[in-house]
Amino acid sequence: MSGHGQGAESAPLLPRINGIAHEGESGRSGFHPRHFFSVLWRSSSQISMLVNILWPFVPVTIILHFVTDAPLWTFATSYIGMVPAANLLGFAGQEFARKMPKVAGILIETTFGSIVEIILFIVLIANHHDTSQGGGGGSDDGNLIPVIQAAILGSILTNLLLCLGLCFFFGGLRHASQKFHAIVSEVGSGLLLVAAFALLIPSAFYSALKSEAAPDPDQPLLGALHETFTRGKLQTDVLQISRAASIALMAAFALYIWFCASSQHSIFDEVIEMDEHRDADREEDLQKPKFTMTEALVALAVSLVCVTFLLILLVGEIEHVVKSGVPDQFLGLILLPLVEKAAEHLTAIDEARDGMINVALYHCLGPSIQTALFNAPLAVIIAWIMGKPLDLNFEIFMVGLLVLSILVVGNFLRDGESNWLEGALLVVVYIIIAIACWYYPDPEVATSNSLEGSGLVKVTMTRDALEQLQQLIKAGLEQ
């Protein structure tokens, strides 16, 4: 364990128990560059340490952006550079969280892991250009709403299927089976089901009424329709419902945080404490050098700057990536969540391998709950403030994916035990979804839940035929 003699921090954040320093203490104070970079390189695990070899992609991205005109290469290098930057943010958040009480530390660590996602949503919203009020068009036309909506659900699916599946798989390879506490799985899956239900209400509302909505008055069908319930009003109603639901979901998240924060001596704290004592690498982890509070804050600041800059470059090249043939839904549902969740996934997998299946499960379900209850509603509120029409009216295809994924994961969690086969099956489901998303058409074609395709049929006719049709309608009205 880190020494706490002459170089000990004069006022440690947490008290010592029986003369033993808390696992979050570094035994030092201030900022020491050599020690800082040594701890940064070692990271939280061997897997995370290997990720640090990707740091050269960060300066390469900067050079490509300012010196050359190669948007696809800039996107690729910034995408790869995001992995070590997000990993540093996750590790710095972890070091900061270890200096806090157990449950509060887990919540802080999860929050820092979601900062990447929040920054991504803000950058996407800022780069959105509303080229068509109806929401049609794709990213190549500046409309990033479909990408943002796909990224919201993709973040949840990535945690539920890919991250949880890899945790079960690698944990199962090292341990024949791993039992997790029912309170973690039940509360986690229950909250996720409620959050997903609330998140999908605007989509259900639109689907139920889209066939009844008439064309807008400025687009009458042969000058005959002037209904009050138009597609424009339906879109406005969906937007208002989405904003109201977002406020309600954020209130629910505040209640969730309050419940967890006030349960320091509850079953949650006991389960997490029990898992940490079962950690196969606990002694080695306790002996690792750690950041001081100052170094943790510096690492957080540096990683936030890198992540924000890389995401700005990444999102700026989306238009070129879509034009090159990558579908909007694949980009939002698969590619973006993969890179922004990389650090969380590495941490959770390492915990599952070390036998800390409850903590790993919390790191899989926790971010999914935060995305549904806070990050997605926050994106809607930010878009509202910026005057961008972001709503929660998801494509029917994505709605089906989310509901089925929650049912599959809930079924695997029901028995309170995991093995490598269940993990492999979850990963297979995720791969199948990724394949389907690659072939899913762009928004202007896939109009299952958008204004552009709600009951409109394109008809081509000659002027003579049109005049004859108008005469028939006029004669019918006179009768």
Side-chain angles (χ1 to χ4, degrees):
M1 184 174 294
S2 302
H4 38 76
Q6 187 175 358
E9 298 181 67
S10 58
L13 183 65
L14 295 174
R16 290 175 171 81
I17 301 175
N18 298 326
I20 300 175
H22 183 271
E23 61 183 19
E25 288 189 33
S26 64
R28 300 174 303 106
S29 62
F31 182 83
H32 306 274
R34 184 175 178 181
H35 184 271
F36 174 80
F37 286 107
S38 174
V39 175
L40 185 154
W41 174 256
R42 292 188 64 174
S43 197
S44 58
S45 65
Q46 289 185 343
I47 301 176
S48 298
M49 186 172 65
L50 292 176
V51 166
N52 287 324
I53 65 176
L54 301 176
W55 272 109
F57 281 93
V58 176
V60 169
T61 301
I62 298 173
I63 294 172
L64 286 175
H65 176 70
F66 289 104
V67 177
T68 68
D69 184 20
L72 295 182
W73 281 105
T74 302
F75 180 89
T77 54
S78 60
Y79 188 87
I80 298 173
M82 270 294 302
V83 177
N87 179 64
L88 174 59
L89 180 59
F91 175 60
Q94 184 182 49
E95 286 287 292
F96 181 78
R98 292 174 84 172
K99 302 178 187 299
M100 302 294 172
K102 287 283 182 267
V103 175
I106 289 286
L107 292 172
I108 291 171
E109 187 178 344
T110 302
T111 301
F112 276 118
S114 294
I115 285 179
V116 180
E117 182 173 278
I118 294 172
I119 295 174
L120 172 63
F121 290 160
I122 293 174
V123 175
L124 284 169
I125 293 168
N127 281 267
H128 167 72
H129 303 292
D130 194 19
T131 55
S132 58
Q133 279 301 111
S139 300
D140 52 345
D141 296 321
N143 178 24
L144 294 178
I145 296 297
V147 176
I148 300 171
Q149 292 176 331
I152 290 172
L153 296 188
S155 177
I156 300 174
L157 292 176
T158 302
N159 277 301
L160 285 182
L161 297 177
L162 182 63
C163 184
L164 188 61
L166 291 176
C167 287
F168 283 178
F169 180 77
F170 285 105
L173 291 180
R174 202 169 188 179
H175 312 273
S177 68
Q178 291 181 297
K179 295 184 178 180
F180 41 85
H181 203 284
I183 190 68
V184 178
S185 59
E186 288 178 4
V187 172
S189 57
L191 273 173
L192 190 61
L193 192 60
V194 171
F197 176 78
L199 202 63
L200 301 179
I201 285 178
S203 302
F205 179 87
Y206 182 85
S207 297
L209 297 175
K210 66 178 181 179
S211 61
E212 304 298 326
D216 294 324
D218 58 341
Q219 298 174 347
L221 181 60
L222 297 178
L225 294 176
H226 295 281
E227 315 291 347
T228 56
F229 188 67
T230 62
R231 296 190 180 98
K233 186 179 187 308
L234 177 57
Q235 177 66 20
T236 301
D237 291 345
V238 170
L239 192 58
Q240 296 300 329
I241 292 173
S242 298
R243 291 168 176 172
S246 297
I247 295 173
L249 286 172
M250 293 176 73
F253 183 73
L255 294 175
Y256 165 67
I257 292 296
W258 175 259
F259 175 78
C260 293
S262 62
S263 304
Q264 295 181 10
H265 303 291
S266 69
I267 188 67
F268 289 100
D269 194 39
E270 295 175 12
V271 169
I272 294 171
E273 186 78 35
M274 179 182 61
D275 249 28
E276 291 186 346
H277 284 287
R278 278 208 309 253
D279 184 4
D281 300 330
R282 178 173 173 78
E283 295 299 323
E284 182 181 346
D285 288 340
L286 290 175
Q287 294 174 3
K288 284 182 180 179
K290 302 172 181 66
F291 282 148
T292 64
M293 176 61 80
T294 303
E295 290 169 346
L297 293 175
V298 169
L300 284 172
V302 171
S303 57
L304 278 173
V305 171
C306 289
V307 164
T308 303
F309 181 73
L310 290 173
L311 282 176
I312 291 173
L313 298 184
L314 187 76
V315 172
E317 308 300 345
I318 282 182
E319 179 180 343
H320 300 281
V321 173
V322 173
K323 286 183 178 178
S324 70
V326 179
D328 290 78
Q329 303 302 329
F330 185 84
L331 183 68
L333 206 68
I334 305 297
L335 289 184
L336 294 181
L338 272 179
V339 71
E340 48 128 324
K341 294 291 185 182
E344 290 180 52
H345 294 178
L346 294 175
T347 301
I349 292 169
D350 182 63
E351 290 165 345
R353 287 182 69 253
D354 292 340
M356 302 167 62
I357 189 63
N358 288 297
V359 180
L361 190 62
Y362 199 98
H363 274 134
C364 292
L365 297 180
S368 298
I369 294 170
Q370 180 161 342
T371 297
L373 290 178
F374 183 76
N375 296 356
L378 180 64
V380 174
I381 300 301
I382 291 174
W384 186 9
I385 295 172
M386 298 175 66
K388 306 293 178 72
L390 174 62
D391 57 29
L392 300 176
N393 181 22
F394 301 104
E395 284 285 326
I396 295 298
F397 171 70
M398 294 191 290
V399 170
L401 291 181
L402 179 62
V403 172
L404 291 175
S405 297
I406 292 175
L407 293 177
V408 169
V409 171
N411 186 63
F412 282 170
L413 294 178
R414 190 176 302 151
D415 61 353
E417 192 172 352
S418 68
N419 54 62
W420 66 265
L421 177 60
E422 291 180 345
L425 293 176
L426 289 177
V427 175
V428 167
V429 171
Y430 183 80
I431 293 174
I432 294 173
I433 289 175
I435 295 172
C437 287
W438 179 262
Y439 290 100
Y440 197 76
D442 288 335
E444 65 268 17
V445 179
T447 54
S448 62
N449 220 33
S450 64
L451 289 172
E452 295 297 318
S454 53
L456 290 179
V457 179
K458 293 184 178 180
V459 179
T460 303
M461 64 176 63
T462 63
R463 177 177 295 181
D464 292 339
L466 179 59
E467 290 177 352
Q468 292 177 6
L469 181 58
Q470 289 176 331
Q471 291 175 0
L472 288 174
I473 293 176
K474 184 177 179 181
L477 292 174
E478 290 177 352
Q479 293 178 358

